[in-house]
Amino acid sequence: MRTRFSKLLAASSVLSLCLLAGCSANNQTKPIEFLHTLPDGQGMVKVSQMVQKWNKEHPDTPVNATKFDSGLDELIKKLELDVKASTAPCLAMMGYNEIPGVYTKSLVQDVTKEAKKYQGNYSPSAVSMTGVDGKFFGLPTDTGPLVYFYNKTAFDSLGIKPPSNISEFRQIGKVAAAHGKYVADFEPDESPYWFSPQAMAAGDKWYRIKDGRWQVNANSEGAARVSELWQGLLTDKAALALPRWDDRFKKALREGKLIGTVGGAWESPLLAEDMEKTKDKWAIAQLPDLGAGPVTAPDGGSAVVVMKGCKVPQKAMEFANWFNTNVDDLASQGLVVAAKKRPKDDPQLNAFYSGQSVVGTNKEAEARMVAETYFIPGYDTVAEAIKRKAGEVAEGSAPVSEIFSTAQSASVRVLEDQKLPVQK
């Protein structure tokens, strides 16, 4: 404690703090600081509880977890200031899309040697997003492979099945439209992290580094196939154009108007909650083949990375692997874990999805994810440009194809504005 009323109080305070932190007998062990962004909601196993388990099992490597609630943009600002002040935590949780940016700003440590010890425990696609240009900075926590959620009750009534390719998607859309129902929703608010994985699942690789230069390929053949699909669904009046996080989206689900939606696997409990009072049963199908085979790509996800200045990267990575493979506790937080180890099924969630194993379906999707799906530094700026263009598409004032041409031009501009080399 900072206030010393007596020598006895001071000594007892130090001892108390040391016991709480799990200090060694010589009082030299300091806790590894871990900044996380998980919700820690009601009914979830909180991160502090997970850390208590670790500290009990590893008294010589104590960890202190702190929850950050102010959003990813503020998180990166805080970490940048902390690194400059040499007060950054050893470990921090962040979205995969943030990793290229913090790497460019030299905010993270290259822990490739340590990472390789543990990478076999995780989805290869998720692993690929924890590094840039062959360097790795941490380990993956969760991911969100795109899947297709559908109202099984409505589909059975209409005599249709979930689509396995673009052609079938268009066909079932027309059948549903004839009955005043929609098999999909075009989501302008989710577009930056919704269209990029669709294009990747269609065969494109938006970003790569070759010979020290960034390559941008956001408007290629895969993008053309995805554009054709969504333009067709909108033209056929088979897709709504509602923001994903708008109450109108929930209303359309509850009323049985919207009977299908493409989304990250992490949405499964959220959709079930939105429709908990409906009588219809839903199910989850794998993402249709968008032209590159039966694959999918990630919509969201996060990793635990080692920050610059961490004095014990080896021990920090040992904890990161323990934390990220603590699958049942992480699943309680609503995560689709990136670890290969399978968490327990949730019987109540399975019941909503027609008795289907949601965990099993998500794991199948995870195994189908393409690799090398990282973003570029400054993608948040690109995302805003994509979102504006998607808004125009939703209003009917722009074609879907312009989302991808916007992504291409905005990406090149953002990289050049940061003085980063771009291959043209």
Side-chain angles (χ1 to χ4, degrees):
M1 294 175 67
R2 295 183 182 274
T3 304
R4 294 184 177 93
F5 294 107
S6 67
K7 292 181 180 179
L8 179 60
L9 179 58
S12 64
S13 299
V14 171
L15 178 60
S16 297
L17 286 172
C18 216
L19 288 172
L20 285 171
C23 296
S24 60
N26 61 8
N27 295 339
Q28 295 302 307
T29 303
K30 293 183 179 179
I32 294 171
E33 296 295 333
F34 172 38
L35 192 64
H36 77 90
T37 57
L38 294 183
D40 276 350
Q42 186 175 359
M44 300 176 180
V45 178
K46 293 180 171 54
V47 173
S48 60
Q49 294 173 299
M50 300 182 213
V51 168
Q52 283 176 6
K53 293 182 193 176
W54 165 270
N55 288 344
K56 185 176 181 179
E57 297 170 6
H58 304 81
D60 294 331
T61 314
V63 172
N64 181 54
T66 303
K67 177 173 167 54
F68 189 81
D69 287 316
S70 298
L72 284 176
D73 289 344
E74 293 302 315
L75 171 65
I76 302 305
K77 291 176 184 177
K78 170 182 168 50
L79 291 174
E80 190 167 2
L81 292 172
D82 288 349
V83 168
K84 289 180 180 178
S86 299
T87 59
C90 238
L91 294 168
M93 182 175 282
M94 63 183 66
Y96 295 122
N97 58 300
E98 304 290 347
I99 291 177
V102 295
Y103 162 65
T104 302
K105 294 178 179 179
S106 299
L107 303 182
V108 287
Q109 281 196 47
D110 180 352
V111 290
T112 303
K113 183 178 178 181
E114 291 300 317
K116 288 187 179 298
K117 295 178 182 178
Y118 307 112
Q119 287 176 343
N121 296 333
Y122 303 93
S123 154
S125 177
V127 166
S128 74
M129 293 186 285
T130 62
V132 179
D133 198 21
K135 302 180 181 71
F136 293 92
F137 314 108
L139 293 169
T141 303
D142 66 301
T143 186
L146 285 178
V147 294
Y148 182 64
F149 300 96
Y150 67 100
N151 185 325
K152 189 175 186 303
T153 302
F155 269 55
D156 289 347
S157 176
L158 293 171
I160 57 177
K161 296 181 179 181
S164 61
N165 54 47
I166 290 176
S167 176
E168 289 182 6
F169 214 151
R170 292 287 302 278
Q171 289 172 12
I172 67 167
K174 291 175 181 178
V175 172
H179 292 81
K181 297 183 182 295
Y182 300 84
V183 296
D185 181 50
F186 176 93
E187 302 173 359
D189 54 341
E190 279 290 293
S191 55
Y193 302 99
W194 192 65
F195 274 114
S196 56
Q198 288 185 58
M200 293 173 194
D204 289 351
K205 297 286 186 184
W206 274 29
Y207 307 118
R208 287 176 174 170
I209 296 179
K210 184 177 181 181
D211 300 327
R213 292 181 173 272
W214 283 95
Q215 295 179 329
V216 180
N217 189 39
N219 191 24
S220 194
E221 294 179 2
R225 286 192 286 270
V226 174
S227 295
E228 180 184 0
L229 167 63
W230 286 98
Q231 195 66 64
L233 290 173
L234 290 170
T235 300
D236 296 341
K237 308 297 183 185
L240 292 170
L242 300 174
R244 169 62 182 87
W245 307 109
D246 191 296
D247 285 341
R248 290 174 296 167
F249 178 88
K250 297 179 183 179
K251 183 180 179 183
L253 291 172
R254 291 168 182 161
E255 293 178 346
K257 187 177 181 180
L258 178 59
I259 61 172
T261 183
V262 173
W266 48 267
E267 292 187 50
S268 55
L270 303 180
L271 289 168
E273 183 179 346
D274 288 343
M275 295 181 284
E276 61 181 349
K277 294 182 180 180
T278 63
K279 295 181 179 179
D280 288 356
K281 293 294 184 182
W282 279 64
I284 308 171
Q286 298 301 320
L287 188 72
D289 181 351
L290 299 179
V295 297
T296 186
D299 171 12
S302 60
V304 175
V305 301
V306 179
M307 301 304 299
K308 184 177 181 179
C310 178
K311 304 298 184 185
V312 287
Q314 184 175 358
K315 292 181 177 179
M317 285 291 285
E318 182 184 358
F319 168 76
N321 180 66
W322 178 91
F323 181 80
N324 287 339
T325 54
N326 196 11
V327 295
D328 288 329
D329 289 349
L330 290 174
S332 79
Q333 296 257 358
L335 304 185
V336 178
V337 295
K340 291 179 180 177
K341 184 179 178 182
R342 176 173 169 160
K344 298 175 183 176
D345 275 293
D346 179 341
Q348 187 174 352
L349 189 61
N350 289 354
F352 175 80
Y353 288 102
S354 306
Q356 184 175 1
S357 170
V358 174
V359 168
T361 303
N362 290 347
K363 279 298 177 187
E364 181 183 348
E366 191 175 83
R368 294 181 177 214
M369 287 196 304
V370 296
E372 296 182 28
T373 55
Y374 50 78
F375 293 87
I376 58 171
Y379 185 75
D380 54 341
T381 301
V382 178
E384 288 304 313
I386 292 173
K387 196 178 294 185
R388 285 194 297 271
K389 183 57 65 175
E392 294 176 14
V393 174
E395 294 170 355
S397 60
V400 176
S401 60
E402 288 189 6
I403 291 174
F404 298 99
S405 59
T406 295
Q408 177 73 24
S409 58
S411 297
V412 171
R413 184 172 62 253
V414 163
L415 289 168
E416 290 179 340
D417 287 348
Q418 296 176 84
K419 310 300 182 186
L420 296 173
V422 184
Q423 183 174 321
K424 296 183 179 180

